[in-house]
Amino acid sequence: MEGLIIALTLPLLGTMTGAAFVFFMKHEMPALVQKSLLGFASGVMVAASVWSLLIPGMELSGGEGWVKVMPVAAGFLCGIGFLLAIDYLTPHLHIGGSAPEGPRSRLSRTAMLSLAVTIHNLPEGMAVGVVIAGAIQGEAGITAAGAMAMSLGIAIQNIPEGAIISMPLRAEGNSRTRSFAIGSLSGVVEPIGAAAVILLASAVAPVMPYLLAFAAGAMIYVVVEELIPEASEGSHSNLGTIGFAIGFTLMMMLDVVLG
């Protein structure tokens, strides 16, 4: 039980640690640092999607050929579609953006920035939850160490994310304390989403391949829709690429060594 609680809360602690940077940085985060961190987060999420979610999902699927891959393909596309629908139906503002997306709303820029980050964090929580559920059920070769590696990898990439969230909120005119609080609260959705997925997986065990791939699709959507474009636009885009390579390699090593 103690290990389960640690795995559930590690990503939130990572977000809170990063959000606390707002107390130590006087100005906006330099563009070269922000792009490096965005690239790093992208690399972690892509590696986690492949090694911790898609591959175990295929190993868990029965049969061969098309029968083996179809549950994972269906779950992956559903994860993409789910985030696409949330992105379309929720008013939000991406970090560094000037025009809100989604339906028209009277929400403040701070509220819409927070919603954008919440949309981002939801698939990460789902990913941690489904891997923990796989470890609990002892299926697809997912071990407790592998689940902890997934949680630790997401927590590490949440540290720069927390800073990337809180600093723009501070630049919008919010106090340091308020910026830290909003940045930290954006990570609360992760343990909540993880717990919900664990409960679902325990109630309906045959859906595990779909849930693993669904979480992967949701994370890849965030990477392609938000992180990579923000890391690639303007100057210092090469630092985003370097950050991606480091994040991908780190998460791959964590999953293989600890899994």
Side-chain angles (χ1 to χ4, degrees):
M1 180 60 70
E2 182 179 348
L4 174 62
I5 295 174
I6 292 173
L8 284 174
T9 55
L10 266 179
L12 174 59
L13 293 176
T15 300
M16 294 178 66
T17 300
F21 285 13
V22 74
F23 293 113
F24 309 104
M25 301 179 72
K26 295 183 178 181
H27 306 290
E28 290 187 39
M29 185 177 293
L32 74 165
V33 176
Q34 182 168 330
K35 290 185 181 298
S36 299
L37 297 182
L38 285 168
F40 177 85
S42 301
V44 170
M45 292 176 73
V46 171
S49 296
V50 175
W51 268 271
S52 299
L53 299 171
L54 292 175
I55 292 177
M58 291 183 188
E59 292 175 351
L60 190 55
S61 298
E64 298 292 338
W66 288 101
V67 175
K68 186 177 184 67
V69 76
M70 284 306 295
V72 174
F76 182 84
L77 292 176
C78 286
I80 294 282
F82 177 71
L83 261 291
L84 180 62
I86 290 181
D87 207 24
Y88 182 77
L89 296 173
T90 306
H92 60 281
L93 177 65
H94 291 297
I95 296 171
S98 57
E101 297 183 9
R104 291 185 179 181
S105 171
R106 295 182 180 180
L107 294 174
S108 66
R109 287 177 59 87
T110 297
M112 287 191 287
L113 275 169
S114 301
L115 281 173
V117 173
T118 300
I119 292 172
H120 182 151
N121 285 341
L122 177 60
E124 296 174 11
M126 294 169 59
V128 171
V130 73
V131 173
I132 292 175
I136 292 173
Q137 296 177 12
E139 297 178 346
I142 300 175
T143 63
M148 191 62 72
M150 178 68 166
S151 181
L152 179 61
I154 294 297
I156 291 172
Q157 70 101 28
N158 276 354
I159 294 174
E161 278 189 9
I164 292 170
I165 295 162
S166 62
M167 295 305 294
L169 290 173
R170 172 63 175 159
E172 290 287 329
N174 296 281
S175 67
R176 284 188 170 85
T177 301
R178 179 177 171 82
S179 299
F180 167 75
I182 294 174
S184 298
L185 286 173
S186 70
V188 172
V189 70
E190 295 193 23
I192 293 175
V197 170
I198 291 172
L199 292 174
L200 176 61
S202 62
V204 191
V207 304
M208 274 298 295
Y210 297 93
L211 288 177
L212 287 162
F214 183 95
M219 288 213 300
I220 292 297
Y221 177 89
V222 170
V223 171
V224 175
E225 167 70 13
E226 181 179 348
L227 298 184
I228 288 180
E230 291 176 5
S232 300
E233 66 181 4
S235 58
H236 308 298
S237 60
N238 57 327
L239 293 178
T241 303
I242 295 171
F244 180 95
I246 294 173
F248 186 96
T249 303
L250 175 63
M251 186 63 219
M252 178 179 63
M253 291 172 65
L254 279 173
D255 188 83
V256 172
V257 173
L258 298 182

